[in-house]
Amino acid sequence: MLSLLIVDDESSVVDTLAFTIDWEQIDIETVYRAYSANEALRLLSTHSIDIMLADIYMPGMSGIELIEQVHKHHKHVKSVLLSGHAEFQYAKQAMTYKVFDYLLKPASDEEIIQVIGRLAEQVKQDWQDVISHDKVVNTLKESLPVLKDKLLNELLVQRQPKDSLDYLLSLYEVPFQIGDSMHMMLIRLEESFAEYNDRDIYLLEYAIMNIAQEIFAASFDLWSCRDTNNYLVIAARGRKSTAGEAMGEEAKRFETLALQLQRNIGLYLKRVVSVLVSKSGEFPNDVYALYTHLVNQVRSRLGNETGCFIPGDIPDVELEMQPVTLLYETPTFHHLLDSHQWEAFSLKLEQVLNNLKQQTNLSEEHVQEAYMVITGAFYHYAHKHNRLLSELLGGMHLVDRTVRSVAHLSEWAYHVLDKFKMDAIVEQRSSKDKLIGKVKDFIARNIGTISLQTIADAVFLHPVYLSRLYKAETGQSISDYIHAQRMEKAAHLLKEESIRIYEISENLGFKNAAYFSKVFREEFGMSPQEYRDQIKG
């Protein structure tokens, strides 16, 4: 809904127009009134006004002068002038100030509604155009990092048609052109599974790119993305200032700066990363080949290593495909977890890790194989105990991870194993607490007929094992606890005069009243009758 300001030095004209015309039919919700040009300017400075209908002839400041001020200071306001025949030439002059139209007095309501209605539609369309344009621009700006990341990821695996690539590079403000010489760098973050989640990794990548921009700014334009392997990939092109530099010298400069980047990441971010640098190539034709070479280098060389720097002139290595047979030998990881043989599991894990470390040029796939076998055992254990692995580990951030090296695998596996051990201890503690609770509850409900055998039968344990477990958990034997509960119950029942002493003796499981009295005297230093008399008074 729009707003309208009516300006005329004749108050009757202003009020009549304001109150007699149905402005809502043309989407005007609010009508402001001003009886002079100066009052109109005050309203314009304090209220949001879309359209102004003003008389051209007013004492003091004329309608023409008012229009001029509006044109200078309130450009979004659209104006219509009311004029008599004598002021018609002035009305034409006002057209230079972007006046939408003019009406000759006396104008009918229908004429006013028609003109103001057309102007209202134009105002709404203008705002719609502004909103749409601003929305597109703002959305594009906000989405540029994601769009740039997506475009580079597409180039890593396929070629874009030349025409569309030119357009997208320009639209996304990517400082690359078809035919440029380029270099590529792959950074593998050696993140800690125990400390870092996905949000931390994104923040770390952001910090790395800030450092990279500082280091490379004088010589190279950079373009980065996170690839499907969760590697940070950086493409670079030499700036015009170094265009005359020989390609070999530019490649050497790029490699030197990449090494400096790795050192600065360790110095300022306290993080270990592996950095691999490609050979030189042409954009975009060589993007896929350079990227594939870097990924192959990671997979073939960095299964055992972390914090490496591999320059672009290192040739590809033929992988040695040796199976990790120890993973599948009995006892398996599944069996060791099922039986809570934590030390044996840890020993087998150590043997597997050592076997991997001893292999030369270990591939990432070998590490992945070990990771999947061990993860399968963890999943099996969690589900067998009616739990989700993510629940046991305290969240998905420790489950959905890509293990890239033996060091990663070691840190992750031992971390999860410790989680399992702690959970088992808590679960065992809880189970024992529940068992002791069941024993005490059974004793309370069967105090007159209780025995070690009946208790053991109730909780499905051997009497000897139950007796030892109860003593270890409570520091008190079951017989001592039963005796204490009988004496407590006896003292309570003696307060009821209606219950005879021999009846109390029978209810508590004593052979006869005399034996009951003997046991009671040993506990309280007086006979049951003396205890009752003392309570009475």
Side-chain angles (χ1 to χ4, degrees):
M1 300 294 279
L2 304 176
S3 60
L4 169 69
L5 171 61
I6 303 174
V7 189
D8 199 312
D9 62 308
E10 296 183 40
S11 60
S12 60
V13 174
V14 173
D15 295 342
T16 299
L17 291 174
F19 295 118
T20 61
I21 293 179
D22 181 12
W23 294 108
E24 290 189 357
Q25 65 178 299
I26 54 174
D27 290 335
I28 291 178
E29 180 179 37
T30 306
V31 178
Y32 297 97
R33 292 169 291 155
Y35 306 111
S36 69
N38 286 325
E39 186 178 358
L41 290 174
R42 285 195 297 270
L43 287 170
L44 286 165
S45 64
T46 57
H47 294 79
S48 177
I49 294 172
D50 301 296
I51 300 171
M52 183 176 70
L53 175 61
D55 186 20
I56 199 170
Y57 180 75
M58 291 182 288
M61 183 184 295
S62 69
I64 297 294
E65 293 172 313
L66 173 60
I67 292 294
E68 184 180 2
Q69 292 298 313
V70 170
H71 181 68
K72 287 181 179 179
H73 305 293
H74 307 282
K75 292 185 181 295
H76 69 282
V77 177
K78 307 297 183 184
S79 302
V80 173
L81 283 175
L82 279 168
S83 67
H85 287 286
E87 297 93 22
F88 180 66
Q89 291 302 321
Y90 296 107
K92 291 181 66 176
Q93 176 188 343
M95 296 302 179
T96 61
Y97 300 124
K98 307 295 184 183
V99 172
F100 177 75
D101 207 343
Y102 63 91
L103 292 165
L104 288 174
K105 290 182 177 180
S108 66
D109 291 354
E110 290 74 17
E111 290 178 301
I112 294 174
I113 288 175
Q114 184 180 21
V115 171
I116 300 298
R118 284 191 289 111
L119 180 53
E121 289 300 318
Q122 180 178 315
V123 169
K124 288 188 289 184
Q125 185 59 51
D126 288 347
W127 278 114
Q128 189 62 45
D129 292 342
V130 169
I131 292 171
S132 299
H133 178 265
D134 288 349
K135 185 176 181 180
V136 170
V137 171
N138 290 333
T139 300
L140 180 60
K141 287 182 179 178
E142 292 174 0
S143 304
L144 273 182
V146 176
L147 294 172
K148 289 179 179 179
D149 185 291
K150 182 176 181 295
L151 180 58
L152 182 53
N153 260 294
E154 290 175 352
L155 291 175
L156 296 180
V157 295
Q158 63 184 8
R159 290 184 58 184
Q160 283 277 343
K162 181 179 182 300
D163 292 341
S164 65
L165 181 58
D166 272 336
Y167 171 73
L168 291 176
L169 291 173
S170 175
L171 181 65
Y172 298 166
E173 301 174 2
V174 177
F176 277 67
Q177 295 181 355
I178 292 175
D180 282 343
S181 64
M182 64 163 294
H183 313 270
M184 190 173 290
M185 177 193 336
L186 186 149
I187 300 177
R188 188 179 77 175
L189 309 178
E190 316 289 16
E191 71 271 15
S192 167
F193 285 98
E195 299 174 5
Y196 283 83
N197 54 38
D198 283 339
R199 179 177 175 276
D200 295 323
I201 296 302
Y202 279 113
L203 291 176
L204 181 59
E205 289 177 349
Y206 180 77
I208 289 175
M209 284 309 302
N210 283 342
I211 295 175
Q213 294 290 355
E214 288 291 329
I215 292 175
F216 286 84
S219 303
F220 294 92
D221 291 312
L222 303 182
W223 180 14
S224 67
C225 73
R226 179 195 269 205
D227 71 0
T228 55
N229 300 302
N230 287 325
Y231 301 136
L232 181 59
V233 179
I234 301 176
R237 64 178 288 273
R239 289 188 179 275
K240 291 182 179 179
S241 60
T242 60
E245 187 176 34
M247 184 60 66
E249 295 176 356
E250 184 180 271
K252 187 175 181 181
R253 178 191 295 272
F254 180 75
E255 188 174 300
T256 300
L257 295 177
L259 183 58
Q260 184 181 340
L261 173 62
Q262 183 187 40
R263 290 172 178 169
N264 283 13
I265 292 171
L267 180 63
Y268 298 113
L269 301 181
K270 310 301 181 186
R271 298 298 297 149
V272 176
V273 298
S274 289
V275 176
L276 296 88
V277 177
S278 75
K279 303 173 184 177
S280 302
E282 180 184 293
F283 179 82
N285 296 337
D286 295 331
V287 170
Y288 174 77
L290 297 179
Y291 170 71
T292 302
H293 171 78
L294 292 176
V295 172
N296 287 339
Q297 290 283 20
V298 172
R299 291 176 175 171
S300 62
R301 293 181 179 275
L302 300 187
N304 254 332
E305 307 296 336
T306 59
C308 297
F309 184 89
I310 299 180
D313 55 359
I314 300 296
D316 286 331
V317 175
E318 186 173 344
L319 299 180
E320 298 180 16
M321 303 303 293
Q322 298 177 356
V324 188
T325 56
L326 184 59
L327 281 169
Y328 308 98
E329 294 178 358
T330 56
T332 65
F333 286 116
H334 291 73
H335 297 148
L336 295 175
L337 285 181
D338 280 348
S339 56
H340 285 190
Q341 296 185 56
W342 311 117
E343 294 304 321
F345 184 98
S346 182
L347 178 60
K348 176 161 185 169
L349 178 60
E350 182 181 359
Q351 291 172 341
V352 168
L353 294 172
N354 286 335
N355 181 269
L356 293 173
K357 290 176 183 177
Q358 290 168 5
Q359 295 188 30
T360 57
N361 294 328
L362 181 72
S363 73
E364 268 197 5
E365 287 196 9
H366 286 92
V367 179
Q368 285 290 320
E369 179 187 9
Y371 169 74
M372 293 178 70
V373 171
I374 296 169
T375 303
F378 288 151
Y379 273 116
H380 174 77
Y381 176 87
H383 298 168
K384 188 172 183 179
H385 288 76
N386 199 30
R387 305 277 293 279
L388 294 174
L389 182 58
S390 58
E391 178 188 348
L392 279 171
L393 300 185
M396 290 300 297
H397 66 282
L398 285 176
V399 178
D400 294 338
R401 287 300 186 90
T402 302
V403 173
R404 296 167 175 154
S405 67
V406 177
H408 275 176
L409 177 62
S410 175
E411 180 187 5
W412 178 82
Y414 281 117
H415 181 78
V416 176
L417 181 61
D418 287 342
K419 288 271 190 180
F420 277 21
K421 289 163 66 175
M422 291 301 299
D423 183 79
I425 292 172
V426 172
E427 184 178 358
Q428 186 180 35
R429 176 75 267 161
S430 176
S431 298
K432 289 180 179 179
D433 288 343
K434 289 179 181 178
L435 175 64
I436 300 303
K438 287 181 179 180
V439 169
K440 291 182 176 180
D441 179 65
F442 185 80
I443 291 172
R445 290 185 287 104
N446 302 276
I447 193 69
T449 59
I450 205 73
S451 69
L452 180 59
Q453 186 62 56
T454 59
I455 300 170
D457 291 342
V459 296
F460 307 104
L461 291 176
H462 191 279
V464 175
Y465 176 75
L466 173 62
S467 180
R468 290 176 180 172
L469 176 63
Y470 190 92
K471 181 67 177 291
E473 293 299 313
T474 66
Q476 182 184 34
S477 68
I478 289 183
S479 59
D480 287 344
Y481 178 76
I482 294 173
H483 172 76
Q485 291 300 299
R486 281 174 170 166
M487 290 299 97
E488 182 179 331
K489 187 75 177 287
H492 175 73
L493 293 174
L494 285 170
K495 296 176 182 178
E496 301 293 331
E497 295 185 27
S498 60
I499 305 177
R500 299 174 184 271
I501 292 177
Y502 77 86
E503 291 176 333
I504 295 174
S505 173
E506 291 177 355
N507 289 338
L508 295 178
F510 287 94
K511 296 178 181 179
N512 52 61
Y515 180 66
F516 168 60
S517 295
K518 177 178 180 296
V519 173
F520 191 88
R521 181 182 293 276
E522 291 175 353
E523 182 72 22
F524 294 97
M526 62 185 77
S527 69
Q529 186 60 53
E530 290 171 340
Y531 184 83
R532 173 173 279 176
D533 292 341
Q534 179 178 290
I535 294 173
K536 288 168 58 179

